[in-house]
Amino acid sequence: MKNPFIYGKIVGKEHFADRVRELNLLKNAIISGQNVIIYSPRRYGKSSLVYNAIEELKGSIIPIWIDCFGLISKKEFAEKIATKTLQNWKTKHVIETIKKLFKNIKPKIVFSEDIEVEFSYEDGGKAFEEALNLPQKLSESLNKRVVVVFDEFQEVARLGEDVLPKMRGILQRHNDVCYIFIGSKMGMMENIFKNAKSPFYNFGTHIVLKRIPKDDFKDFIIKKFENTGIKIENKHINKILNLTKCHPYYTQKFCHRLWFNAFIEDKKVTDTLIEKTLEELLIDSNESYIEIWDSLTLSQQKVLIALAKRKEDLYSTEFLVEYEFKSPATVQSALQSLKKKELIVKIDDKYTIEDPFFEMWILRKKV
């Protein structure tokens, strides 16, 4: 029997927990041609949300998914956009069609399992502009709305100061294309889309994913266990969600291991089995947690310990004395560094450690 809990990759509707409101909001935006900006910390299910919206609208739209992670040049970015767009162009005369699409350059077309586009370094600037216009041309050619997804879009900002202004100038003229911008680095995404001085200021509807509400997650978990013949009580689900703090990724990860442990034993979840699962996951992650911990400054370690212990007023005189900080500025610097490293996030104006298992590891090591 397959484990019903999946984590670490894009999942379809069967394995996608909750997000009903966000899913409907996204689908309505796509249908109306509204651009959408989706951001949250990593592993909150952003890509799965977009994937499921696209799947539900299948047939009425043409999706183009551009993974921006690891981009190193405008040329590479242009090649990705052109390749993914042309792969949707259904025509018997591919070469002739491509020649008509590009006005000022002659790209190299590679035929393997699918079409791949390569540009010369000399054509870099022109190629970028022409590639950006391809989704609109595709929409006009097939008379269908095109949905372009830029995953990890904040990476694009590193490619040069002219990239975002150039993109905004071109994309804003596309009436038949809906653009979805996904990002996991909150500060960078907010600077791109909420800073009044940014070219992409107010470029679309904002959807910020938060942790899944406890009651919604409970329904999802109990169905997954019971539908596969594993008995679980309400008190055990509460215990699981208290441990994982309703974090989408870590809840699925914990339930995946717990389900396996229950399946090979008595097909029943118990307090003992939950503790066993927690110990296994902490042992599995011990080496990586040590590596993270050793890479931090003493001030950053102190702040993490304080957050794990639920200390709230990190700037009070009492706190500064207890943790031997010279000034509030030192605390602020440590917080900003930890946030940049994506080890902490701000939820309801309070900082919390992003990985609940790392928090438990800290408490066990430092208490």
Side-chain angles (χ1 to χ4, degrees):
M1 184 178 291
K2 288 185 178 180
N3 195 312
F5 296 98
I6 297 177
Y7 64 96
K9 62 181 182 180
I10 295 176
V11 297
K13 189 173 183 178
E14 180 185 355
H15 301 288
F16 188 60
D18 189 51
R19 304 297 193 200
V20 176
R21 175 187 167 276
E22 293 91 343
L23 186 61
N24 288 332
L25 184 62
L26 179 55
K27 286 193 298 181
N28 288 333
I30 292 173
I31 291 169
S32 62
Q34 177 68 50
N35 299 324
V36 183
I37 301 104
I38 303 176
Y39 49 99
S40 73
R42 290 187 306 119
R43 298 170 173 174
Y44 272 49
K46 298 180 293 295
S47 297
S48 290
L49 172 68
V50 176
Y51 173 80
N52 280 276
I54 288 173
E55 280 294 296
E56 292 192 18
L57 296 174
K58 203 170 184 177
S60 61
I61 61 170
I62 303 170
I64 299 172
W65 198 291
I66 312 294
D67 186 358
C68 302
F69 183 78
L71 285 174
I72 60 172
S73 67
K74 285 191 293 184
K75 173 181 170 295
E76 182 189 5
F77 190 27
E79 287 173 344
K80 279 196 173 188
I81 297 170
T83 294
K84 292 294 184 181
T85 305
L86 291 177
Q87 285 174 356
N88 285 281
W89 226 293
K90 309 301 180 184
T91 176
K92 295 179 180 179
H93 308 290
V94 178
I95 300 299
E96 290 79 0
T97 300
I98 291 172
K99 286 180 179 179
K100 293 178 182 178
L101 290 172
F102 294 95
K103 296 178 181 179
N104 302 310
I105 56 174
K106 293 181 180 180
K108 179 182 177 182
I109 308 300
V110 179
F111 292 93
S112 52
E113 293 183 3
D114 214 327
I115 295 174
E116 289 186 19
V117 180
E118 294 180 5
F119 297 116
S120 68
Y121 286 97
E122 294 77 15
D123 289 334
K126 294 178 182 177
F128 185 55
E129 292 184 30
E130 297 214 18
L132 288 172
N133 278 310
L134 287 177
Q136 175 64 25
K137 292 180 179 180
L138 175 63
S139 178
E140 293 169 356
S141 174
L142 301 183
N143 196 29
K144 267 190 178 183
R145 183 175 304 286
V146 170
V147 178
V148 179
V149 181
F150 290 112
D151 204 350
E152 296 298 349
F153 182 71
Q154 73 276 340
E155 301 298 310
V156 173
R158 305 183 310 153
L159 302 181
E161 293 182 359
D162 63 325
V163 172
L164 294 181
K166 177 66 68 176
M167 289 188 71
R168 172 65 190 251
I170 293 174
L171 302 190
Q172 68 183 357
R173 298 197 298 266
H174 295 170
N175 297 321
D176 305 309
V177 184
C178 168
Y179 290 97
I180 300 175
F181 306 89
I182 305 174
S184 58
K185 294 184 178 178
M186 301 283 283
M188 292 180 70
M189 289 293 286
E190 288 178 348
N191 189 53
I192 292 171
F193 293 101
K194 287 189 174 182
N195 186 339
K197 295 181 180 179
S198 170
F200 274 90
Y201 176 64
N202 279 346
F203 196 64
T205 298
H206 291 250
I207 299 178
V208 181
L209 294 192
K210 298 183 178 181
R211 298 190 179 188
I212 297 174
K214 192 171 185 178
D215 288 341
D216 295 329
F217 229 155
K218 285 173 68 174
D219 292 340
F220 174 82
I221 293 169
I222 196 167
K223 286 177 183 177
K224 289 295 182 183
F225 275 103
E226 292 185 346
N227 289 346
T228 51
I230 306 294
K231 294 181 180 179
I232 186 168
E233 296 180 30
N234 191 62
K235 65 176 183 178
H236 294 133
I237 297 177
N238 285 327
K239 188 170 186 177
I240 292 166
L241 293 175
N242 286 336
L243 287 172
T244 65
K245 296 183 178 179
C246 295
H247 190 296
Y249 173 85
Y250 295 105
T251 302
Q252 294 266 21
K253 181 177 182 178
F254 188 90
C255 288
H256 180 94
R257 179 66 67 91
L258 179 62
W259 183 93
F260 175 78
N261 287 338
F263 185 77
I264 63 175
E265 292 191 18
D266 298 325
K267 292 186 171 53
K268 181 181 179 181
V269 173
T270 63
D271 288 333
T272 302
L273 204 59
I274 290 175
E275 291 300 324
K276 175 186 175 182
T277 299
L278 178 59
E279 289 299 324
E280 289 177 353
L281 291 175
L282 290 177
I283 290 172
D284 289 349
S285 301
N286 187 58
E287 292 301 318
S288 63
Y289 288 158
I290 290 174
E291 187 175 345
I292 292 171
W293 188 258
D294 289 343
S295 71
L296 302 175
T297 66
L298 180 59
S299 293
Q300 291 165 5
Q301 291 175 349
K302 287 179 180 179
V303 168
L304 283 178
I305 292 170
L307 291 176
K309 291 182 176 180
R310 302 290 194 274
K311 299 288 183 177
E312 293 188 0
D313 191 351
L314 304 185
Y315 302 110
S316 67
T317 301
E318 181 182 353
F319 176 81
L320 296 177
V321 171
E322 180 182 355
Y323 284 86
E324 298 181 351
F325 279 107
K326 293 182 179 179
S327 68
T330 311
V331 178
Q332 178 66 20
S333 177
L335 285 168
Q336 292 305 314
S337 296
L338 291 169
K339 188 178 178 182
K340 190 174 181 179
K341 292 174 184 287
E342 300 181 41
L343 292 176
I344 64 173
V345 292
K346 206 168 189 180
I347 300 176
D348 299 329
D349 292 325
K350 291 182 180 178
Y351 285 107
T352 186
I353 297 173
E354 173 67 357
D355 179 349
F357 302 139
F358 185 39
E359 179 178 295
M360 285 180 265
W361 181 88
I362 293 171
L363 287 171
R364 294 188 180 200
K365 293 290 183 182
K366 301 300 174 182
V367 174

